[in-house]
Amino acid sequence: MNAPAYAHPQATHTVPLGGARVAYLLVRSRRRSIGLEVGASGLTIRAPLRVSVAQIESALQEKAQWVLDKLAASALRVQQTPQVDWGQGAQLPYLGGLLTLQLHPAAPRGCELLAVGEGRWVLHVPLPVDALPASVRGQVHAWWLRHARLLLTQRLQRFAPDLGVQWRSLRLTNARTRWGSAKHDGGIMLNWRLLHFRLPVLDYVVVHELSHLRVMDHSPRFWAVVASVCPDYTRLRAELRQQPIPEWDL
């Protein structure tokens, strides 16, 4: 039997780990400690500038079983990721409910969203029912990005005063391993896929990134800032990590 292998698509280093081969992405920064992150793309290690690769991989060996368990769980989630059939009646998770696509040429240009029940929406897409999947995806994706920018802007405006911070700009991202980031200058990046989650989960990510405008690390002080506005962040963070979301690629 072949040993299991896990490879980050942007891997910079490879190491044998507990009977497996793990290709990981190493990111250097001005941080104080080595951090391990396992996401859908694989293992990312964030390390201080002056720490050697040998020291990094020694620390990795100490966490070998934890890393392998996380990688196996992540690989299983990827296998279970729902695929979207981009056509009439396709469904997408949306704000904790379901959004169904209805295709008809007379729909308003740019699509129209209608609430049809508790946790249920219909998105009217101006295309014929036999439209090509790429056309359907393109129309829905354009609408989704516009709606994501509007909703995420509203949530940033909602929580920034509670945290006593000012954000300057919002950029939408499609990163596979990060839901958001913040810069010292007030720039915020948020993943447009957050609209697949319940609003409280989305709000946790917004609060998380806004909190970085006060504390740029993940120290206890940072988590205290998050908890001041989002006291159940631990549960919401777990939900963010565990819920599979659909693959948009054709």
Side-chain angles (χ1 to χ4, degrees):
M1 179 181 295
N2 293 330
Y6 304 98
H8 193 292
Q10 298 173 292
T12 54
H13 298 75
T14 301
V15 61
L17 199 64
R21 291 193 63 78
V22 177
Y24 64 90
L25 171 63
L26 175 59
V27 179
R28 299 282 192 174
S29 64
R30 293 183 178 179
R31 55 181 293 144
R32 297 179 180 179
S33 60
I34 298 171
L36 308 179
E37 298 177 7
V38 177
S41 296
L43 173 63
T44 299
I45 300 180
R46 303 184 185 278
L49 298 173
R50 296 184 178 181
V51 174
S52 69
V53 171
Q55 290 174 305
I56 291 169
E57 294 189 351
S58 176
L60 180 59
Q61 293 293 343
E62 295 177 3
K63 297 281 189 178
Q65 193 57 55
W66 179 88
V67 171
L68 292 175
D69 289 345
K70 291 290 186 181
L71 286 169
S74 180
L76 180 60
R77 283 196 299 272
V78 170
Q79 293 175 5
Q80 295 173 340
T81 297
Q83 301 296 312
V84 180
D85 182 11
W86 293 103
Q88 175 76 343
Q91 292 187 322
L92 294 165
Y94 174 75
L95 296 181
L98 279 177
L99 182 154
T100 302
L101 304 185
Q102 290 291 334
L103 311 183
H104 51 90
R109 183 179 179 182
C111 303
E112 181 181 36
L113 181 70
L114 296 176
V116 295
E118 184 68 28
R120 294 174 56 225
W121 294 266
V122 171
L123 184 66
H124 293 277
V125 183
L127 288 172
V129 293
D130 59 350
L132 293 174
S135 297
V136 178
R137 182 199 178 281
Q139 289 266 5
V140 175
H141 188 239
W143 172 86
W144 193 281
L145 291 179
R146 292 193 302 272
H147 193 61
R149 178 169 294 280
L150 177 63
L151 180 59
L152 291 169
T153 296
Q154 291 173 346
R155 305 318 287 173
L156 287 166
Q157 292 172 338
R158 159 69 179 83
F159 290 108
D162 294 342
L163 290 160
V165 299
Q166 290 186 339
W167 61 282
R168 303 297 182 186
S169 62
L170 169 63
R171 178 183 170 191
L172 299 182
T173 176
N174 186 31
R176 295 289 179 170
T177 58
R178 302 188 72 178
W179 292 111
S181 64
K183 296 182 179 179
H184 287 284
D185 64 3
I188 300 290
M189 291 179 59
L190 293 169
N191 199 310
W192 53 262
R193 297 172 189 267
L194 285 167
L195 269 64
H196 287 307
F197 295 91
R198 298 188 303 120
L199 190 59
V201 177
L202 181 153
D203 282 346
Y204 155 68
V205 177
V206 170
V207 169
H208 183 117
E209 300 311 331
L210 286 173
S211 296
H212 276 310
L213 300 183
R214 288 178 57 181
V215 183
M216 289 304 292
D217 55 31
H218 287 101
S219 64
R221 179 168 165 255
F222 166 79
W223 291 112
V225 173
V226 174
S228 69
V229 174
C230 187
D232 57 345
Y233 74 85
T234 301
R235 177 177 57 82
L236 297 172
R237 188 184 183 198
E239 187 173 335
L240 182 69
R241 293 177 170 179
Q242 294 167 4
Q243 178 181 326
I245 60 173
E247 175 56 66
W248 280 68
D249 292 342
L250 294 169

